[in-house]
């Protein structure tokens, strides 16, 4: 059993939702990232999505764009993000999912990325701009290295794509609550139906992300999803707090959400 | 051998190993839908008839093929002809595509259009078509480009478009595309993104190519009529690559026709400040497509430089990548300085003020004309006119 499947099995037993927390590797600095993840764990995070910064994050809103720029300005890249993952793995037992775009992985080399990510204690990957149809040559080594390939479903995904997505998805299914880029915003109409529909199609856990910021948002998915993802709302608080206060602020913020899980 | 046009792209939008759809899941079903609507429209005689009518009576097509007698004489080589896309309404080839996609937007029943623009020519062409068809128009443009191409910002606003300045990254075309794609992924239900070049996820590269291919079709007929044969060589500038594909596409399966794409050499290849993707070729994924891209060792996209905003872009259309790999088109780079010198020359001796983008093609044409020799014909695709560039050029030429 993988760390990710163990996590969701335990959560299910306890009738709880998982709290998935996104952080950009290298924001505020590469040195501070591992300690920040530790703080997230203290705040109740169940799984970490570790963003590997890319220069042109077209699926991200202003908060994560800015965070990526901060990380890049400190020289963060795929290799250093994997080093950060290794340091994080030495401190916590949470599942770690690397989240990035196709180009940095291709440049690093898909096979090399797969083996080094697995060796660094990474459990899964999300490649935001790569649907399952593209680059079978990239997905295959990731699977072979035992990494979960987490795919997205959105309110605009037509039913004819579900089968393809669910065939290649592992770990969990990431349901995007609305159209658009990462950040604040109301969930789309029809999201509840989408979540119900997915439950009939897959046994994989389903996590909802985009626009999650308050305990009320978290509670809205009670009984409908197995996890919620908090990204921009967390990153914004980390950036506003400044490097020294970030761990305490992030932990307190997550605690408020975790209690609603 | 199967014809290029029938082979590429394949059913999944790939040109060999290039192209495809590298987008977030949100855009996958909308792209399926766009491809379906486009394929229907393509086969629909009424769509094609309306497009042809507008190209003729609104854009002013066919554009002339002008014999450049004085350039021919000055260069002392091949007979030089100019395919005059600069004479299109709005001043560049861009409107061939925006008109097609504008009609498609109306067919999809979407009331709002967004576009990116670099030099502003595509933004102006989009704003124009939106005014013509009664569509709401918003254009994303890098702040650096808004500064250096300010006449075009004013033109867009005159025609009722909203221009959003983009302040991220290098504040140029790449960043404008990032922002347009973000907008589109949020508003795709009621918005069509009129992408301005043969870039982006499928179906854009083939759709934009098809709308621009009118250039090459006209050129074939005009060359046959005027010279009794196909051109020996065609040269075009390549930013994203839409005017070049438009001119080349008709001739890809004509092995006797040599084709040359000219990229922006900026301050010079050796300075690293350029937009010449094929000089030290490296394949990557940017803006939804797998193609040649300027990137660093970590896969981060590099900043580019060109005096011409329309060529100042780190990636290139995926079909160009395949044409490069297949050796079917040669790609060369021309520096800012060479482009500016060609700009002055063609102004002075032909009475034509070209866009700085097109001036890159003119600059390399001089080399080609001599290489080809007399009795050969060389066609320069003069993709746009230079009114928008007068401020830049006066500044630059004063420096030189």
């Amino acid at each position: 059993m993988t760390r990710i499947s163990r996590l969701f099995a335990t959560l299910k037993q306890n009738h709880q939702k998982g709290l998935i927390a996104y952080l950009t590797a290298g924001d505020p600095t590469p040195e501070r990232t591992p300690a920040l993840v530790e703080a997230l764990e203290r705040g109740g995070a169940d799984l970490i999505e570790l963003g590997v910064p890319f220069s042109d994050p077209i699926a991200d809103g202003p908060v994560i764009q800015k965070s990526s720029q901060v990380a890049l300005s400190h020289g963060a890249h795929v290799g250093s993000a994997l080093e950060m993952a290794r340091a994080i793995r030495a401190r916590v037992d949470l599942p770690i999912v690397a989240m990035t775009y196709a180009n940095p992985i291709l440049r690093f080399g898909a096979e090399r990325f797969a083996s080094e990510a697995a060796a660094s204690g990474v459990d899964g990957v999300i490649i935001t701009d790569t649907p399952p149809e593209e680059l079978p040559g990239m997905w295959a080594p990731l699977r072979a290295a035992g990494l979960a390939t987490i795919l997205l479903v959105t309110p605009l995904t037509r039913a004819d794509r579900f089968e393809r997505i669910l065939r290649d998805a592992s770990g969990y299914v990431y349901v995007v609550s609305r159209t658009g880029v990462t950040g604040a915003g109301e969930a789309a109409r029809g999201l509840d139906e989408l979540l119900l529909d997915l439950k009939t199609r897959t046994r994989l856990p389903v996590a909802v992300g985009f626009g999650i910021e308050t305990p009320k948002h978290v509670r809205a998915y009670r009984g409908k999803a197995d996890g919620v993802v908090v990204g921009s709302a967390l990153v914004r608080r980390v950036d506003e707090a400044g490097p020294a206060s970030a761990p305490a602020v992030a932990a307190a913020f997550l605690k408020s959400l975790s209690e609603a899980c | 051998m199967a014809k290029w046009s029938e082979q590429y792209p394949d059913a999944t939008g790939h040109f060999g190993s290039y192209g495809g759809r590298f987008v977030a899941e949100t855009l996958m079903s909308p792209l399926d839908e766009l491809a379906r609507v486009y394929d229907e429209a393509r086969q629909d005689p009424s769509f094609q008839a309306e497009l042809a009518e507008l190209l003729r009576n609104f854009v002013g097509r066919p554009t002339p093929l002008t014999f450049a007698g004085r350039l021919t004489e000055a260069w002392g080589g091949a007979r030089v002809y100019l395919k005059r896309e600069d004479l299109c309404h709005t001043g560049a080839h861009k409107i061939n595509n925006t008109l097609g996609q504008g009609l498609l937007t109306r067919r999809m029943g979407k009331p709002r259009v967004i576009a990116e623009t670099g030099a502003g020519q595509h933004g102006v062409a989009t704003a124009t078509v939106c005014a013509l068809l009664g569509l709401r128009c918003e254009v994303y443009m890098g702040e650096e480009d808004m500064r250096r191409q300010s006449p075009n910002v004013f033109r867009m606003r005159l025609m009722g478009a909203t221009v959003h300045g983009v302040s991220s990254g290098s504040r140029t075309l790449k960043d404008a595309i990032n922002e347009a794609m973000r907008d589109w992924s949020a508003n795709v239900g009621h918005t069509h993104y009129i992408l301005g070049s043969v870039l982006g996820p499928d179906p854009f590269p083939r759709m934009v190519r098809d709308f621009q291919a009118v250039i090459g079709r006209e050129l074939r007929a005009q060359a046959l009529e005027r010279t009794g044969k196909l051109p020996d060589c065609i040269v075009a500038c390549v930013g994203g690559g839409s005017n070049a594909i438009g001119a080349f596409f008709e001739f890809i399966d004509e092995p006797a026709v040599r084709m040359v794409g000219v990229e922006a050499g900026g301050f010079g290849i050796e300075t690293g400040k350029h937009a010449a993707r094929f000089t030290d070729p490296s394949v990557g994924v940017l803006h939804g497509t797998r193609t040649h891209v300027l990137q660093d060792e970590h896969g981060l996209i590099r900043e580019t430089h060109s005096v011409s905003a329309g060529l100042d872009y780190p990636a290139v259309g995926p079909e160009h990548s395949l044409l490069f790999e297949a050796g079917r088109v040669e790609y060369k780079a021309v520096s800012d300085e060479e482009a500016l010198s060609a700009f002055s020359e063609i102004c002075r001796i032909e009475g034509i003020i070209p866009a700085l983008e097109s001036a890159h093609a003119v600059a390399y044409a001089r080399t080609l004309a001599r290489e080809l020799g007399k009795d050969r014909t060389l066609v320069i695709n003069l993709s746009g006119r230079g009114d928008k560039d007068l401020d830049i050029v006066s500044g630059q030429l004063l420096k030189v």
Side-chain angles (χ1 to χ4, degrees), chain A residues 53-61 65 72 76-79 102-104 106-108 128-135 152-154 156-158 160-161 165 176 178-181, chain B residues 12 14 19-26 28-30 32-33 168 174-175 177-179 181-182 185-188 282-288 290 293 295-301:
Chain A
F54 178 50
S55 50
D56 296 81
I58 52 172
D60 284 302
Q65 285 175 47
L72 292 171
H77 50 73
V78 175
N103 203 55
L106 291 176
R107 187 66 171 180
F108 195 78
T128 312
D129 61 348
T130 311
E133 290 89 338
E134 288 296 345
L135 290 184
L152 280 69
V153 170
T154 83
L156 293 184
T157 303
R158 282 205 315 248
D160 57 4
R161 290 184 49 74
I165 292 169
V176 173
R178 54 166 172 76
T179 58
V181 294
Chain B
T12 58
H14 293 86
R21 280 185 193 167
F22 290 86
V23 293
E25 178 56 33
T26 304
M28 287 301 284
S29 290
D32 278 338
E33 177 63 12
S168 56
K174 167 183 81 100
D175 311 288
I177 297 180
N178 287 346
E179 229 31 73
M181 291 192 82
R182 288 179 186 124
S185 76
N187 300 303
V188 65
S282 150
V283 175
V285 170
L286 184 67
H287 293 149
R290 185 164 187 272
V293 55
Q295 56 181 325
D296 72 9
E297 68 202 287
H298 302 300
L300 306 174
I301 305 307

Side-chain angles (χ1 to χ4, degrees), chain B residues 144-190:
Chain B
E144 168 64 13
D145 289 340
M146 286 178 76
R147 185 190 60 72
R148 57 180 169 169
Q149 309 274 218
S150 58
N152 275 341
V153 177
F154 186 57
R155 281 191 188 99
M156 287 183 263
R157 289 179 172 153
L158 272 178
M159 288 182 288
T162 304
V163 181
H164 300 290
V166 177
S167 59
S168 56
S170 51
R171 299 177 293 134
T172 58
L173 179 56
K174 167 183 81 100
D175 311 288
I177 297 180
N178 287 346
E179 229 31 73
M181 291 192 82
R182 288 179 186 124
D183 179 317
W184 200 38
S185 76
N187 300 303
V188 65
H190 67 286

Side-chain angles (χ1 to χ4, degrees), chain B residues 3-23:
Chain B
K3 283 177 69 177
W4 182 282
S5 57
E6 289 157 8
Q7 242 180 317
Y8 305 113
D10 65 16
T12 58
H14 293 86
F15 299 85
S17 64
Y18 306 106
R21 280 185 193 167
F22 290 86
V23 293

